[in-house]
Amino acid sequence: MSQQASFPWRGVYPAVTTKFKENEDLDFAEMEKHFAFQIDNGVHGLITGGSLGEASTLSLEERLDVARTALNVADRRVPVLANVSDTRSRDAIRFVEQAAKMGVQGFMVMPSVLYAADAREAKENLRDIARAGQKPVMVYNNPVSYKVDLTPADFAELADCELLVAIKESTDNVRRVTDLRNAVGARYQIFMGVDDLSYEGLAVGADGLVAGLCVAFPQETVALWDLMQAKQYDAALKLYQWFMPLMHLDVSTKLVQNLKLVEALVGVGNENVRRPRQPLVGAEREKVIGVVRNALANRPNLLELGWRGAR
């Protein structure tokens, strides 16, 4: 594993989509191809089985299969984090124990899904999962979707748990990054988890991005991060302004269908999803097609923006 890709985690971590065949079986060949495409284009890590990965439709064994596929493709070039989003703590512990034995480098853990845990319950759940996995954990804080908000004070209280090392910040409030820094300093790596707040998050000191549109545009996502690290803010802003209509597609209840359609349109995936989801139709479909068509017609030349290319 390269020095840049090893711990502490920094950079661009796509929440990869899970590939299915038309009959909804897992499509391992497509996943191998897509995970390699991400790594070859410079991402710094992979996160499997998240919301965008249709975690809620995957069995425990399937989530392990997807993570194993990513591990094989990554071959320790970048870390692989397996998402944990079980509705019951005991199931989450069983998953992390098996995934840890398999060799994942860490976990991204949602404090709770379906049941809106209070802060005490959510924090104890995180400690239990971290203890069971004995791997570094990125805490996914997304009160907008999952109704559980761990505040800077909560993260200060959790700081004694050494396995909790990073935060996916998805409160949709960019002020939270600064509030976290003021409360806990550099104790945690902070990743912006909202695509269309990427520039703002990096500008106030986020260490990386957990990115959605990266699944179709990895070079542009890595370039944005690189340009911000190099303090080339004007070039980064120009790229971000081009990227924004695409990034809005990730902030939607149809994010899976949106992004799988984008992948298909740019030739790096298909639209196969698991029901009850179905591919977009009508005006929703035409909107995404229009956004992608306009983006491709005006795609910036990254080298002209000053990007030096993927490492």
Side-chain angles (χ1 to χ4, degrees), residues 124-198:
E124 192 58 31
N125 191 45
L126 285 167
R127 290 180 186 276
D128 289 344
I129 292 171
R131 206 158 29 234
Q134 289 296 305
K135 298 281 186 179
V137 169
M138 177 186 293
V139 180
Y140 182 10
N141 193 41
N142 184 344
V144 177
S145 297
Y146 303 112
K147 314 306 177 188
V148 181
D149 187 12
L150 292 178
T151 65
D154 290 319
F155 281 108
E157 187 177 323
L158 286 168
D160 65 300
C161 184
E162 295 181 356
L163 291 168
L164 303 180
V165 301
I167 301 167
K168 178 184 175 183
E169 167 36 45
S170 298
T171 60
D172 203 31
N173 173 10
V174 74
R175 292 184 290 270
R176 180 62 69 88
V177 175
T178 301
D179 287 338
L180 282 167
R181 288 289 187 222
N182 288 341
V184 297
R187 166 61 183 80
Y188 302 92
Q189 299 295 102
I190 299 175
F191 283 68
M192 175 50 66
V194 182
D195 264 27
D196 56 7
L197 286 176
S198 296

Side-chain angles (χ1 to χ4, degrees), residues 255-275:
L255 81 163
V256 173
Q257 295 97 316
N258 286 348
L259 269 59
K260 283 198 163 180
L261 176 54
V262 175
E263 286 181 332
L265 291 169
V266 302
V268 298
N270 61 55
E271 292 185 76
N272 297 334
V273 291
R274 277 188 170 170
R275 290 179 178 245

Side-chain angles (χ1 to χ4, degrees), residues 47-273:
I47 300 176
T48 63
S51 303
L52 188 55
E54 298 175 70
S56 62
T57 73
L58 302 176
S59 68
L60 182 148
E61 290 75 19
E62 287 177 323
R63 287 188 288 144
L64 291 171
D65 286 342
V66 173
R68 185 181 298 107
T69 302
L71 282 169
N72 291 338
V73 172
D75 193 25
R76 299 191 64 80
R77 289 177 292 167
V78 300
V80 173
L81 280 59
N83 181 60
V84 183
S85 56
D86 301 80
T87 57
R88 184 180 181 185
S89 297
R90 192 168 74 178
D91 294 337
I93 288 170
R94 191 159 66 97
F95 174 73
V96 298
E97 287 176 341
Q98 295 186 42
K101 289 179 183 175
M102 197 171 66
V104 299
Q105 281 78 36
F107 298 100
M108 184 174 79
V109 180
M110 296 180 182
S112 181
V113 292
L114 295 183
Y115 170 63
D118 65 24
R120 176 179 63 90
E121 295 168 324
K123 286 184 283 189
E124 192 58 31
N125 191 45
L126 285 167
R127 290 180 186 276
D128 289 344
I129 292 171
R131 206 158 29 234
Q134 289 296 305
K135 298 281 186 179
V137 169
M138 177 186 293
V139 180
Y140 182 10
N141 193 41
N142 184 344
V144 177
S145 297
Y146 303 112
K147 314 306 177 188
V148 181
D149 187 12
L150 292 178
T151 65
D154 290 319
F155 281 108
E157 187 177 323
L158 286 168
D160 65 300
C161 184
E162 295 181 356
L163 291 168
L164 303 180
V165 301
I167 301 167
K168 178 184 175 183
E169 167 36 45
S170 298
T171 60
D172 203 31
N173 173 10
V174 74
R175 292 184 290 270
R176 180 62 69 88
V177 175
T178 301
D179 287 338
L180 282 167
R181 288 289 187 222
N182 288 341
V184 297
R187 166 61 183 80
Y188 302 92
Q189 299 295 102
I190 299 175
F191 283 68
M192 175 50 66
V194 182
D195 264 27
D196 56 7
L197 286 176
S198 296
Y199 183 96
E200 293 86 346
L202 293 173
V204 295
D207 299 292
L209 305 171
V210 175
L213 263 298
C214 186
V215 296
F217 294 94
Q219 281 201 356
E220 284 78 1
T221 311
V222 172
L224 178 63
W225 188 79
D226 284 343
L227 291 170
M228 292 297 288
Q229 297 306 298
K231 304 188 186 307
Q232 297 182 47
Y233 300 123
D234 289 346
L237 182 58
K238 188 173 181 179
L239 174 59
Y240 187 54
Q241 289 169 338
W242 166 83
F243 222 155
M244 184 60 82
L246 289 163
M247 288 178 162
H248 286 329
L249 299 176
D250 188 55
V251 187
S252 162
T253 57
K254 297 282 185 71
L255 81 163
V256 173
Q257 295 97 316
N258 286 348
L259 269 59
K260 283 198 163 180
L261 176 54
V262 175
E263 286 181 332
L265 291 169
V266 302
V268 298
N270 61 55
E271 292 185 76
N272 297 334
V273 291

